[in-house]
């Protein structure tokens, strides 16, 4: 199956989304579908405060077990402003059809005075559709074949010095 053959149904839950330009990719070659903050009023996020859930205003029905969607922060907002996702990356499974919610977090240091305000309709994240591989898993006592050098030094080690 080609990606063009994947038919994902989108159910608009917030009637303002089409006016904000949803659904659209930011450019002809963009991987991520722009996600908007479906808020009724601006949301202020204090530095390092608990993450907030922001509705994306729609639901998807992927339904093909060979696919899922991943929610990523927008690169510029994360780098320049400190706005990231509270769960780093969100996974939308093929069988999830509920409203998409975005966990947003202000990573700026406490006391920096760098509160962030998210405006209604602002593009704050992106949704990327990707293939899923679910290999057969076989539990073993030890791995077959040659002993691996990689990982012998523990977490973060390539085994090379």
């Amino acid at each position: 199956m080609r990606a063009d053959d994947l038919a994902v149904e989108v159910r608009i839950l917030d009637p303002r989304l089409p006016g904000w330009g949803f659904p659209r990719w930011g450019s002809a070659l963009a991987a991520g579908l722009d996600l908007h903050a479906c808020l009724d009023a601006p949301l202020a996020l204090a530095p390092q405060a608990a993450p907030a859930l922001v509705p994306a205003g729609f639901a998807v029905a992927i339904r093909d077990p060979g696919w899922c969607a991943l929610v990523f922060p927008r690169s510029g907002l994360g780098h320049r402003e400190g706005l990231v996702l509270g769960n780093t990356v969100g996974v939308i499974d093929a069988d999830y059809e509920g409203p998409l919610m975005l966990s947003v977090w202000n990573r700026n240091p406490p006391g920096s005075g760098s509160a962030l305000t998210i405006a209604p309709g602002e593009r704050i994240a992106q949704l990327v559709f990707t293939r899923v591989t679910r290999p057969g898993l076989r539990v073993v006592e030890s791995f077959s074949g040659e002993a691996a050098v990689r990982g012998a030094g523990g977490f973060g080690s390539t085994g090379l010095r």
Side-chain angles (χ1 to χ4, degrees), residues 12-95:
I12 303 291
L13 304 175
D14 189 312
R16 300 172 294 179
L17 274 177
W20 291 330
F22 181 86
R24 76 165 170 247
W25 279 262
S27 73
L29 299 179
L33 178 69
D34 290 336
L35 302 182
H36 299 262
C38 290
L39 299 167
D40 293 327
L43 172 66
L45 295 172
Q48 300 286 317
L53 282 177
V54 173
F58 70 101
V60 295
I62 300 170
R63 295 193 180 129
D64 183 330
W67 290 84
C68 75
L70 301 175
V71 180
F72 293 102
R74 290 190 62 224
S75 303
L77 287 177
H79 178 72
R80 288 188 302 273
E81 308 294 328
L83 180 65
V84 296
L85 298 181
N87 57 340
T88 63
V89 174
V91 177
I92 311 302
D93 295 313
D95 60 350

Side-chain angles (χ1 to χ4, degrees), residues 68-145:
C68 75
L70 301 175
V71 180
F72 293 102
R74 290 190 62 224
S75 303
L77 287 177
H79 178 72
R80 288 188 302 273
E81 308 294 328
L83 180 65
V84 296
L85 298 181
N87 57 340
T88 63
V89 174
V91 177
I92 311 302
D93 295 313
D95 60 350
Y96 179 75
E97 297 180 11
L100 269 64
M101 300 294 287
L102 310 172
S103 174
V104 294
W105 183 61
N106 181 348
R107 69 169 172 78
N108 289 309
S112 67
S114 298
L116 296 173
T117 301
I118 299 172
E122 184 175 354
R123 294 177 302 129
I124 60 170
Q126 54 189 324
L127 187 68
V128 175
F129 294 91
T130 190
R131 291 194 179 275
V132 173
T133 301
R134 296 185 70 187
L137 302 178
R138 184 170 44 97
V139 177
V140 298
E141 292 294 322
S142 62
F143 294 123
S144 60

